[in-house]
Amino acid sequence: MSSARPLHKNADRKLSLQEILAWLEADGMLTGERANLLRGLAERGTYEGQHPLTVIGKRGWLDERPPNPPFTVESLTLWLAGKVNLPYLRIDPLKLDMRRITGVISLPYASRFNVLPVEVAAEEITVATAEPYDREWEREISQIQHKKIRRVLANPEDISRYLVEFYSISRSVIGAERQNDVAPTGVLQNFEQLVELSRAGKLDVNDQHVVSIVDWLLQYAFDQRASDIHIEPRREAGLIRFRIDGVLHQVYQLPSAVLMPVTSRIKILGRMDISEKRRPQDGRIKTRNPNGQEVELRLSSMPTAFGEKLVMRIFDPVVLQRNFRALGISEPDEKFWQAMIENPHGIILVTGPTGSGKTTTLYSTLKQLAKPDVNVCTVEDPIELVDPALNQMQVQHNIDLTFANGVRTLLRQDPDIIMIGEIRDAETAEMAVQASLTGHLVLSTLHTNDAPSSVSRLLDLGVPPYLLQSTLLGVIAQRLVRTLCAHCKKEAELSEEEWNNLVAPWKAQKPKRVYHAIGCLECRNTGYRGRVGLYEMLSFTAGIKKLITTEFNVDALRQEAIRTGMKPLRLRGAQKVAEGVTTVEEVLRVVPPPTNQY
């Protein structure tokens, strides 16, 4: 690789397209023919005002060097950082303090030089730039802030994009504070003061600043692939956190006086009572993500010591279009599940803790079952995802519309298939059994650790063993594990001890290769990106049903199920490890260790 010229000899100028093309040619990354094509266009002013890396990255060309990866603006930025001896930075909004960095310089000044402060320390400010030889701004900022400047090279498109986003949200927050006539810090001293400001309601929830903050919050969550948005009041500030791939990340801190109207604005959008702050409420918002797809958000509020906490669960717009293979179900298991749900009557259960993907599995199943000649009815608390192909009913305890009463109503609606959100009590369990005995296919969920334990749970609720023998078709227990990031996962050694610890007390052949989580900018240095399901499938064969008696022993049923083909969750996880999908550590984190009674 040819070296770039020293920075001190090239100060206060911008990169030219001709210069970048010459460097790419010198490094053997670009042929003269393609370079000359761009030179000719540049001479005619075609790309005036555009950064050279953006121009080249948008052409869709391939690197001439094996293995011939495509040119992207990001890959070219990384290459350029090495050429000019500057640290490379992939801007991660989740790790930036927007309030502090936007206070360093004004937006017009930052836009003039296309620079973005990314970190403010006691004696140093780190600033991202895409122009390594333009240093006029560096001297001026250093003099104004009385701090050293550390420059890093970043994607010019990211800098331009986040300049607008960060300064826009900061301007809205500051404007909201001023509109509310509070101190700039927005610090509240105690709970009583918080209540007083909340009652005063100085800031209109329809104020443009508040509207902008809420719009940004939703779009930002979609962009970051968040599954949940947490808005949490604290004594001195309000926290905004996103759950991404099952892990919470702090995103922003809002002044408490601004957090309250933001929460009220969201409650209005969700058709919730903004005057009621003492009791929990539920709501729903339908909006669109940046791709134009409709997205549903389920809202839940609860009173806390410092105000209302609000959680918005974001439902994937394509959840109903996912097939079972896309969920992580293997081909043999898919055939097993398809055969189970094609039964005309009986009970099928999906078990697992909260956040294990039960809703996705059920809705994907119902979507396949809801044909024009089939009447699918549900009773849920709450209705998590509205679909026009389903007849969905919301549980409302205040008018005594419980799961059990809901099922009674559905039985008079000529249903073919009934989905019960959750079997929580004896009455609901009894109605589920009665519905299956009268010729309906019933799907529902339970909260148990594994599939065999669901029988114990139903027996504890008072369902007679003989009725379970007659109605239960099968049970799926499931978990979600994070999948390895394809950009940074690395092959690694796995000892026999580690493998045996994963699969114990069973035996399984150790795979020839496994992968470990490394961490990169694409996955925010976690090593994981996305999640996939692990499924433990239990079919109630004649041999299994014989074990459901008044003297039921769950361990005996578990052993018989494994003997007849059920693969426990740990072995399912081990299979994903062998396939290079996830890691041993992730499976051990999500799936509890088996008991010694297996």
Side-chain angles (χ1 to χ4, degrees):
M1 178 182 291
S2 63
S3 61
R5 287 172 287 183
L7 292 181
H8 67 273
K9 295 182 180 180
N10 298 276
D12 300 331
R13 68 174 180 84
K14 295 186 181 296
L15 291 168
S16 68
L17 182 57
Q18 289 83 351
E19 184 176 27
I20 296 297
L21 291 172
W23 288 357
L24 289 170
E25 286 182 288
D27 287 349
M29 301 169 67
L30 193 64
T31 61
E33 181 181 353
R34 291 191 294 179
N36 290 333
L37 172 64
L38 280 184
R39 286 192 183 98
L41 293 172
E43 290 174 358
R44 293 195 290 271
T46 304
Y47 301 114
E48 187 175 353
Q50 297 186 47
H51 195 281
L53 299 187
T54 302
V55 173
I56 300 171
K58 296 298 185 181
R59 301 293 294 185
W61 289 342
L62 300 180
D63 191 331
E64 294 292 335
R65 303 171 304 180
N68 308 110
F71 282 143
T72 64
V73 180
E74 198 67 46
S75 66
L76 289 170
T77 304
L78 179 59
W79 162 80
L80 179 62
K83 296 289 291 185
V84 299
N85 301 315
L86 278 179
Y88 163 80
L89 175 72
R90 173 73 179 273
I91 300 175
D92 184 356
L94 295 179
K95 296 182 179 178
L96 303 184
D97 186 340
M98 295 185 206
R99 193 176 183 86
R100 293 195 70 186
I101 65 178
T102 54
V104 175
I105 52 178
S106 67
L107 176 59
Y109 189 87
S111 300
R112 174 185 167 191
F113 295 100
N114 200 39
V115 295
L116 177 66
V118 291
E119 185 178 355
V120 181
E123 299 180 354
E124 183 181 70
I125 299 174
T126 303
V127 182
T129 179
E131 293 288 353
Y133 299 146
D134 189 356
R135 307 186 68 169
E136 178 184 349
W137 57 268
E138 181 180 351
R139 295 185 292 271
E140 294 179 349
I141 296 176
S142 180
Q143 291 174 0
I144 294 172
Q145 296 291 333
H146 305 290
K147 294 181 180 181
K148 295 179 181 179
I149 302 299
R150 175 176 176 264
R151 294 183 304 131
V152 295
L153 202 71
N155 186 323
E157 293 184 319
D158 284 353
I159 295 175
S160 299
R161 171 193 172 187
Y162 291 126
L163 269 177
V164 176
E165 286 191 13
F166 293 173
Y167 278 88
S168 176
I169 187 63
S170 294
R171 184 167 56 246
S172 295
V173 171
I174 293 171
E177 284 185 288
R178 290 173 179 169
Q179 189 79 8
N180 204 45
D181 193 25
V182 297
T185 57
V187 175
L188 299 175
Q189 300 303 317
N190 51 49
F191 178 55
E192 289 72 22
Q193 184 180 355
L194 173 67
V195 173
E196 279 303 312
L197 281 173
S198 175
R199 290 173 181 169
K202 295 181 180 180
L203 187 58
D204 183 5
V205 296
N206 293 316
D207 179 86
Q208 186 57 47
H209 297 302
V210 176
V211 173
S212 297
I213 294 171
V214 173
D215 289 346
W216 167 81
L217 178 62
L218 296 180
Q219 295 302 314
Y220 191 36
F222 300 149
D223 184 58
Q224 295 296 319
R225 302 180 295 107
S227 61
D228 299 85
I229 304 171
H230 291 243
I231 301 177
E232 304 172 329
R234 296 290 189 267
R235 181 182 295 276
E236 296 184 350
L239 299 184
I240 295 178
R241 298 196 288 175
F242 291 168
R243 187 176 295 279
I244 304 171
D245 294 336
V247 179
L248 275 174
H249 300 264
Q250 182 168 319
V251 175
Y252 199 74
Q253 283 194 6
L254 281 176
S256 295
V258 177
L259 186 78
M260 290 179 287
V262 166
T263 301
S264 295
R265 168 72 181 174
I266 295 172
K267 289 175 67 176
I268 287 176
L269 294 176
R271 295 180 176 84
M272 300 162 70
D273 184 359
I274 63 170
S275 65
E276 179 56 78
K277 305 179 187 299
R278 301 166 300 171
R279 62 181 179 85
Q281 296 185 64
D282 293 316
R284 187 179 301 276
I285 295 176
K286 179 171 284 191
T287 183
R288 293 186 182 275
N289 64 15
N291 298 324
Q293 297 172 306
E294 280 197 354
V295 179
E296 286 199 11
L297 296 92
R298 193 186 75 194
L299 279 56
S300 175
S301 71
M302 62 172 280
T304 69
F306 298 103
E308 274 190 298
K309 179 181 185 295
L310 189 67
V311 174
M312 292 180 278
R313 170 155 290 186
I314 303 171
F315 289 100
D316 190 338
V318 298
V319 66
L320 293 179
Q321 281 71 46
R322 286 181 181 170
N323 57 39
F324 297 133
R325 299 301 297 279
L327 299 177
I329 299 178
S330 63
E331 184 176 353
D333 287 340
E334 181 183 9
K335 293 180 179 178
F336 170 86
W337 184 244
Q338 288 283 6
M340 192 184 301
I341 64 177
E342 287 174 1
N343 281 280
H345 54 82
I347 298 176
I348 300 173
L349 299 175
V350 181
T351 75
T354 300
S356 61
K358 300 188 300 296
T359 297
T360 302
T361 300
L362 280 177
Y363 275 110
S364 298
T365 301
L366 292 176
K367 185 66 175 179
Q368 293 194 26
L369 294 173
K371 300 174 182 178
D373 58 341
V374 176
N375 179 18
V376 180
C377 300
T378 76
V379 53
E380 307 171 60
D381 184 22
I383 297 174
E384 299 202 46
L385 197 60
V386 176
D387 184 78
L390 310 176
N391 299 298
Q392 298 168 276
M393 177 166 54
Q394 167 79 49
V395 167
Q396 299 185 57
H397 294 284
N398 58 326
I399 58 173
D400 200 29
L401 179 52
T402 61
F403 275 117
N405 290 336
V407 175
R408 288 190 183 93
T409 300
L410 293 184
L411 288 176
R412 295 190 288 270
Q413 291 289 316
D414 187 29
D416 297 297
I417 298 169
I418 295 175
M419 195 274 277
I420 305 172
E422 182 184 349
I423 296 178
R424 300 175 181 173
D425 50 46
E427 190 178 12
T428 305
E430 180 184 353
M431 289 307 305
V433 170
Q434 292 300 322
S436 66
L437 289 174
T438 52
H440 304 93
L441 181 64
V442 179
L443 290 86
S444 188
T445 67
L446 275 178
H447 288 287
T448 61
N449 288 330
D450 60 6
S453 298
S454 61
V455 178
S456 296
R457 174 66 174 153
L458 292 173
L459 290 173
D460 290 342
L461 289 176
V463 181
Y466 70 91
L467 288 180
L468 293 181
Q469 292 179 1
S470 305
T471 57
L472 276 180
L473 297 173
V475 180
I476 286 186
Q478 65 179 82
R479 299 289 190 279
L480 289 176
V481 293
R482 292 181 293 172
T483 55
L484 282 164
C485 174
H487 295 87
C488 66
K489 70 177 184 179
K490 186 176 181 181
E491 190 172 334
E493 294 293 328
L494 180 67
S495 68
E496 290 287 346
E497 181 180 358
E498 289 176 305
W499 179 255
N500 291 335
N501 183 46
L502 174 64
V503 301
W506 311 283
K507 299 292 183 181
Q509 185 176 0
K510 186 170 79 73
K512 294 181 180 180
R513 68 180 68 176
V514 297
Y515 292 87
H516 282 189
I518 301 299
C520 68
L521 297 169
E522 291 291 335
C523 60
R524 304 183 183 87
N525 291 316
T526 64
Y528 301 94
R529 185 179 175 89
R531 291 189 291 176
V532 70
L534 304 180
Y535 300 90
E536 176 182 279
M537 296 196 171
L538 170 61
S539 176
F540 282 80
T541 61
I544 295 292
K545 290 181 178 180
K546 288 180 180 178
L547 298 175
I548 305 176
T549 63
T550 53
E551 299 179 356
F552 175 72
N553 186 312
V554 67
D555 299 315
L557 185 144
R558 188 179 288 118
Q559 292 172 5
E560 175 64 17
I562 294 173
R563 189 188 67 80
T564 55
M566 184 191 79
K567 289 188 177 180
L569 286 168
R570 273 291 183 95
L571 290 185
R572 293 295 190 188
Q575 183 179 348
K576 295 298 183 185
V577 171
E579 294 172 357
V581 174
T582 189
T583 63
V584 172
E585 295 78 14
E586 178 66 7
V587 174
L588 292 175
R589 181 184 72 87
V590 173
V591 184
T595 64
N596 56 12
Q597 298 162 324
Y598 272 93

